[in-house]
Amino acid sequence: MTSVAAVQSAIQALYGTDEGQRQAANIWLTEFANSDQAWESLQLLHPNLAPEVQFFSVNLLLSKVKHAWRKLQPEAQRQIQIFAWSKLDEVVSSSSANKLIKQRLSLLLATMAAADGADAGAELIQHAMRFAQPLSDTGHANLEVMLDLLLSLAEEASALDSRRQASFVNKAMQPQAARVFDTLGKVLQGSSSASGQSAPAISALKCTQAWLGHSLPGPNGHSACSPGALQTHQGVLFSSVLACVMAEDSSCINATAEVFEVMLESEEGEVDEAADQKAMSAIIRALLGCKHSLQGTEAALARARLVAKVAAAMADRSPEAVAQDLPEAVQLAELLLTCLSLGERQVAEFAIDYLDSLSTVPLAERQPQLQQPLYSSLLHVLAPHIQYPQEFTDWDGCVDDDEEAFTRFREQSLQEVLEISFGVLKGNYLAYFGQQLQSAASWQATEAALFAIRCVSSSILEMASSDASPDQPQANAHQQTVRAFLSSLFGQLCAGQGSFSQKGLLQQPCVLASAARLIGDYAMWFSRLGGPEAPLEGALRLLLQAMVPPQARLAAAKAFRVLCVRCAARLSSPAVLSGLVGVAHTALNSQQVAAQGDAQGGLEDRQHVIEGLSRVAAQLPVEEAAQAGQHLIAPFLQQAQACLDCESGSSQQPASLAAQLRLIACAIKSMEFGSAGTSHAGGHPVLSVLEAAQPVLTRVAASPALQANATVVSALCEVYQGSLTCIGGSAEPLLSTFVTPCVTLFQTHQHPACLDILATCIELFGPQPTAANMLTHALYVSCSASEAIFSVRCTSKLTAAVSQRQPSVHD
């Protein structure tokens, strides 16, 4: 039999400084915890013992209850519960009792009750309620215990499986709910009239939230937790929670917000809508009372979050009420805008939730002030939330925000509400952000306005492209407004004029990135809606300029590709394309990434640019397309040739060579659109491009050093695969050019990418008699090489296994 003193000594050793004793104590206590004697740890819950001894003991017992309670006989369980209650009484009556120990002991009793079922739960509630007494210096500790017990019981009930939880709530909690809520209301009422008593108020609010979270049913099938039911049947609790809105402790305000949220989410049973609306009006009036207490302190900011959170929950519960029925609905929206003007992200997120719910009610069915006037006012207070932080230079040095959170908030939450705003305001939306561009006092304001115009691009383009109708003069007017706005905007942006003429503005990386995304999203306007006057050349020039700073490079490259694809018909002139390719290569070379030996650094953006230019080249006649393709890949061939000439030089040379090959592959495979699959007297233009690249490709395939480099061979196979995909059956004369090096490379170095090329060749040319012998031989050699690889690897594994096997008596 293990003595209590031995357990106490082991616990003290565990918290001591001697590492050897700590390890020994840990082993001993672990074995002890798994034994039946661990239940005797209750004896260590004595106020005179060290807090760490009591804390360890109660945690040990909590673990035992969760994992071994049902293994005990009912009588043993009962004795442990009685003893635990006596220990709680001891702790409560002690002036030196540790608060955390009391909380854990309350949780222990609640865990036992939840495990035993509804009768034990009802008994615990009865025990807890005897600690309730008026708030006073002597009663404070007792109130804490009562609140801890009730809170722990509600939380433990939530952890039960759905069947047991329903039974426990209905049989143990629901019959006592009225009494519990009445007591909680009195605790809150007493706390609000007593100075320095925020702790009981916070505990009472958390307990209220936990009990309301179970959506307790009331009489006659009605919900007992809806706002209307609480105001009608638990008036003290309801009014006391409202009073907590004006608390001076931010923790108390946060707890109050949680109570409101769960109250407004309650949907169990039937709801008296008239009573609910009356209660919601009372809640709004309480919120309106804090209109002048929303800034200056942490509590004031917590109050602003509470207002926004409650407004969102109320709109989610009954959007019709906050849009149509409640007399205070307009005042609530105005208060929400006041909170939104504080610039706090969390407030904005709740406000957006409110607006999302409000948008489910048709505009014409809302109160007049909640139609266009609401969204006009909204833009003014929402605009600062769109902006980058005022001291922003880059995300590494930014302490005011986080890149992921900022991007997610703008691209998801804000975009949705801005789209709704444009749907309501239409031309007035563009006028507002157009004015923001003109009057912007910082690059942040300019970038934010560009973002706001970009994120509604789908709606704007749809409006601009719709067919005019004589019987819809208002729609026609909106269309003309949109087209005029876009013409003015892009005319100034692409020429660096007007609001964009400010020195250095279009060199700021974030502004450049936003402008690039804007151009990419409005590519349809440049290709069709803007007509020949659309400044396509200026847009492309701006995008190439935006590729210099790393922060804007990828956005600019993507937009460049989209613009080339959309406007290929306007660009498909040999002279225009030749000039564009030259300028593009200059911009690409300025990145100084091509010769840095990093196969991935900067490659994606260059691939976007090359794809765009290649798509334009594919629109030209065959001979001119071939010349354009050769012009396009010429710098990459030169750099690849330079890499091959210094093959024994830099250790980064293979990576740089692979990057050039991948860019050539990108150019080739992107030329399949337009002229791909079409019969031409001069052949497919990619054939000429391949002819120009063949000397480099041959040198790569023949280099012993490069044959062993998986990165280089994979890039070489990309060129082959892109060529086969692009020209299809026209590649038959070059079949040996693809097959022979790939078979050799696979046979000598087993590069998997080579098999992809062989598979494509068999798919394309397998039925051709002229290709049958070559492909059959290639397949045979590849299969033989594969069989040899598997044989060697299996033999190696078997040898390793045998070498590790220990001799036995059977050997």
Side-chain angles (χ1 to χ4, degrees):
M1 177 70 68
T2 304
S3 67
V4 173
V7 180
Q8 181 180 351
S9 297
I11 296 172
Q12 290 173 332
L14 184 68
Y15 288 98
T17 57
D18 188 297
E19 186 61 30
Q21 291 182 2
R22 290 180 63 187
Q23 291 181 6
N26 182 61
I27 295 171
W28 190 90
L29 287 169
T30 301
E31 293 176 354
F32 174 72
N34 293 324
S35 70
D36 290 340
Q37 297 175 52
W39 296 108
E40 298 174 14
S41 300
L42 274 169
Q43 299 179 47
L44 294 172
L45 297 176
H46 193 284
N48 294 333
L49 293 179
E52 62 268 19
V53 173
Q54 298 181 64
F55 187 75
F56 185 94
S57 300
V58 72
N59 280 341
L60 186 153
L61 288 165
L62 272 168
S63 178
K64 291 291 288 185
V65 170
K66 290 182 181 295
H67 299 100
W69 183 249
R70 294 188 177 277
K71 296 178 182 178
L72 296 176
Q73 295 297 319
E75 182 58 30
Q77 293 177 344
R78 187 65 180 165
Q79 290 301 317
I80 292 173
Q81 287 174 319
I82 292 172
F83 197 63
W85 278 110
S86 69
K87 287 298 178 181
L88 181 62
D89 289 335
E90 277 184 26
V91 172
V92 171
S93 61
S94 172
S95 59
S96 61
N98 184 287
K99 182 177 179 180
L100 184 58
I101 302 300
K102 286 189 290 186
Q103 290 177 339
R104 302 300 286 178
L105 192 49
S106 297
L107 177 58
L108 174 64
L109 287 161
T111 305
M112 292 176 182
D116 277 353
D119 291 342
E123 186 178 349
L124 181 137
I125 295 171
Q126 293 288 349
H127 275 290
M129 297 304 291
R130 65 186 172 87
F131 289 105
Q133 51 184 284
L135 194 65
S136 65
D137 291 340
T138 57
H140 191 167
N142 287 0
L143 280 172
E144 284 183 347
V145 173
M146 179 200 72
L147 295 171
D148 287 340
L149 286 166
L150 294 175
L151 174 60
S152 297
L153 187 71
E155 290 177 341
E156 288 302 305
S158 298
L160 298 172
D161 63 73
S162 57
R163 182 185 61 81
R164 292 176 63 207
Q165 183 181 146
S167 174
F168 191 89
V169 169
N170 290 329
K171 295 179 180 179
M173 298 177 67
Q174 191 273 334
Q176 301 284 343
R179 184 184 177 195
V180 169
F181 285 148
D182 181 64
T183 302
L184 292 172
K186 290 176 180 177
V187 172
L188 286 172
Q189 194 175 50
S191 299
S192 64
S193 62
S195 60
Q197 297 289 356
S198 62
I202 294 170
S203 297
L205 288 165
K206 289 181 177 178
C207 191
T208 302
Q209 176 199 354
W211 276 67
L212 290 176
H214 285 288
S215 299
L216 299 163
N220 304 320
H222 287 78
S223 170
C225 301
S226 66
L230 287 172
Q231 185 186 41
T232 302
H233 302 294
Q234 299 294 337
V236 174
L237 176 62
F238 186 81
S239 59
S240 298
V241 173
L242 295 186
C244 288
V245 170
M246 294 304 298
E248 294 302 322
D249 186 319
S250 59
S251 297
C252 186
I253 296 171
N254 292 336
T256 304
E258 298 297 328
V259 172
F260 278 128
E261 185 176 38
V262 74
M263 182 195 303
L264 290 163
E265 286 177 350
S266 175
E267 295 180 354
E268 187 70 29
E270 295 182 13
V271 174
D272 184 334
E273 292 188 6
D276 244 21
Q277 289 194 11
K278 180 182 176 183
M280 286 195 285
S281 288
I283 294 172
I284 295 175
R285 288 195 296 273
L287 300 182
L288 293 172
C290 68
K291 182 176 182 179
H292 302 293
S293 305
L294 294 174
Q295 52 185 328
T297 65
E298 178 57 35
L301 189 56
R303 202 170 288 119
R305 287 194 292 266
L306 178 146
V307 169
K309 190 171 192 175
V310 172
M314 203 175 285
D316 183 60
R317 179 181 182 86
S318 181
E320 293 80 8
V322 299
Q324 303 167 330
D325 305 330
L326 294 176
E328 303 85 359
V330 173
Q331 291 172 286
L332 175 64
E334 292 172 347
L335 180 63
L336 187 60
L337 292 178
T338 300
C339 295
L340 195 56
S341 68
L342 300 177
E344 215 261 348
R345 171 76 52 77
Q346 196 172 16
V347 170
E349 289 172 340
F350 288 133
I352 289 170
D353 290 340
Y354 163 88
L355 293 164
D356 284 345
S357 298
L358 190 69
S359 68
T360 63
V361 180
L363 197 67
E365 297 178 11
R366 305 180 206 172
Q367 295 188 35
Q369 286 299 108
L370 299 180
Q371 297 178 22
Q372 287 196 13
L374 170 63
Y375 291 93
S376 295
S377 301
L378 174 65
L379 294 185
H380 293 278
V381 295
L382 202 59
H385 290 273
I386 307 174
Q387 295 183 18
Y388 278 83
Q390 284 305 306
E391 303 301 322
F392 182 86
T393 53
D394 57 54
W395 287 113
D396 290 337
C398 182
V399 297
D400 299 325
D401 210 337
D402 169 73
E403 181 179 11
E404 183 180 351
F406 176 79
T407 303
R408 182 173 60 252
F409 175 66
R410 288 218 311 178
E411 298 291 342
Q412 296 177 14
S413 301
L414 273 177
Q415 179 162 341
E416 187 173 351
V417 75
L418 288 173
E419 287 176 345
I420 294 171
S421 300
F422 175 76
V424 174
L425 298 173
K426 297 183 173 61
N428 291 335
Y429 177 99
L430 297 179
Y432 176 79
F433 284 108
Q435 179 58 37
Q436 290 291 297
L437 285 174
Q438 297 296 329
S439 60
S442 65
W443 70 260
Q444 287 92 339
T446 298
E447 191 281 334
L450 293 175
F451 170 84
I453 297 167
R454 174 178 69 83
C455 68
V456 296
S457 58
S458 296
S459 300
I460 288 179
L461 290 172
E462 182 180 356
M463 184 178 293
S465 61
S466 59
D467 295 330
S469 176
D471 56 349
Q472 293 183 321
Q474 189 175 29
N476 295 340
H478 288 318
Q479 184 184 73
Q480 294 304 315
T481 299
V482 165
R483 289 184 172 182
F485 176 84
L486 293 179
S487 294
S488 174
L489 170 66
F490 287 115
Q492 294 183 19
L493 174 63
C494 297
Q497 298 175 349
S499 57
F500 301 101
S501 61
Q502 180 182 340
K503 184 178 179 180
L505 184 61
L506 287 179
Q507 277 72 49
Q508 207 290 326
C510 295
V511 174
L512 274 176
S514 198
R517 294 188 183 99
L518 180 77
I519 291 171
D521 284 3
Y522 282 92
M524 188 174 82
W525 184 82
F526 284 91
S527 66
R528 185 162 59 89
L529 302 177
E533 294 80 19
L536 178 58
E537 182 180 346
L540 292 168
R541 184 171 54 249
L542 178 62
L543 292 176
L544 291 172
Q545 173 190 337
M547 291 191 65
V548 177
Q551 302 95 319
R553 183 177 299 155
L554 185 56
K558 288 180 177 179
F560 186 91
R561 174 182 56 80
V562 172
L563 204 58
C564 285
V565 171
R566 282 278 191 178
C567 304
R570 286 186 59 186
L571 297 170
S572 56
S573 153
V576 171
L577 181 57
S578 178
L580 188 58
V581 168
V583 175
H585 278 306
T586 301
L588 293 176
N589 290 334
S590 70
Q591 298 177 51
Q592 298 180 347
V593 293
Q596 298 303 312
D598 183 353
Q600 299 303 320
L603 192 57
E604 182 183 358
D605 45 35
R606 285 183 286 163
Q607 286 175 322
H608 283 299
V609 173
I610 296 307
E611 180 184 345
L613 294 171
S614 187
R615 294 281 200 97
V616 175
Q619 302 298 314
L620 296 171
V622 176
E623 185 176 345
E624 294 171 344
Q627 292 174 354
Q630 291 172 356
H631 185 196
L632 182 57
I633 69 168
F636 310 133
L637 289 175
Q638 291 172 3
Q639 293 180 50
Q641 189 72 52
C643 291
L644 290 168
D645 290 342
C646 64
E647 187 173 322
S648 59
S650 170
S651 61
Q652 296 182 344
Q653 172 264 342
S656 180
L657 174 61
Q660 307 312 314
L661 293 175
R662 287 198 168 95
L663 292 172
I664 294 169
C666 178
I668 288 174
K669 68 183 179 183
S670 299
M671 290 187 71
E672 66 176 308
F673 296 94
S675 54
T678 305
S679 177
H680 300 282
H684 197 290
V686 167
L687 294 174
S688 298
V689 178
L690 270 176
E691 183 180 355
Q694 195 56 47
V696 166
L697 302 181
T698 300
R699 282 192 65 182
V700 171
S703 168
L706 296 176
Q707 285 177 352
N709 189 293
T711 302
V712 172
V713 173
S714 177
L716 177 65
C717 289
E718 281 190 36
V719 178
Y720 291 158
Q721 189 72 275
S723 303
L724 288 166
T725 302
C726 182
I727 58 182
S730 301
E732 186 176 358
L734 301 176
L735 189 56
S736 61
T737 306
F738 301 129
V739 173
T740 302
C742 286
V743 171
T744 301
L745 288 168
F746 184 76
Q747 191 175 19
T748 54
H749 296 287
Q750 298 85 49
H751 296 298
C754 298
L755 295 181
D756 293 331
I757 304 303
L758 182 56
T760 302
C761 289
I762 292 173
E763 181 181 356
L764 288 173
F765 308 110
Q768 304 296 328
T770 54
N773 290 337
M774 181 190 302
L775 294 176
T776 301
H777 175 73
L779 185 59
Y780 172 79
V781 172
S782 300
C783 289
S784 299
S786 299
E787 183 181 8
I789 295 167
F790 294 141
S791 176
V792 169
R793 290 181 180 174
C794 291
T795 301
S796 299
K797 289 184 179 180
L798 181 59
T799 303
V802 170
S803 65
Q804 294 172 10
R805 180 171 174 264
Q806 299 298 320
S808 71
V809 294
H810 300 290
D811 290 334

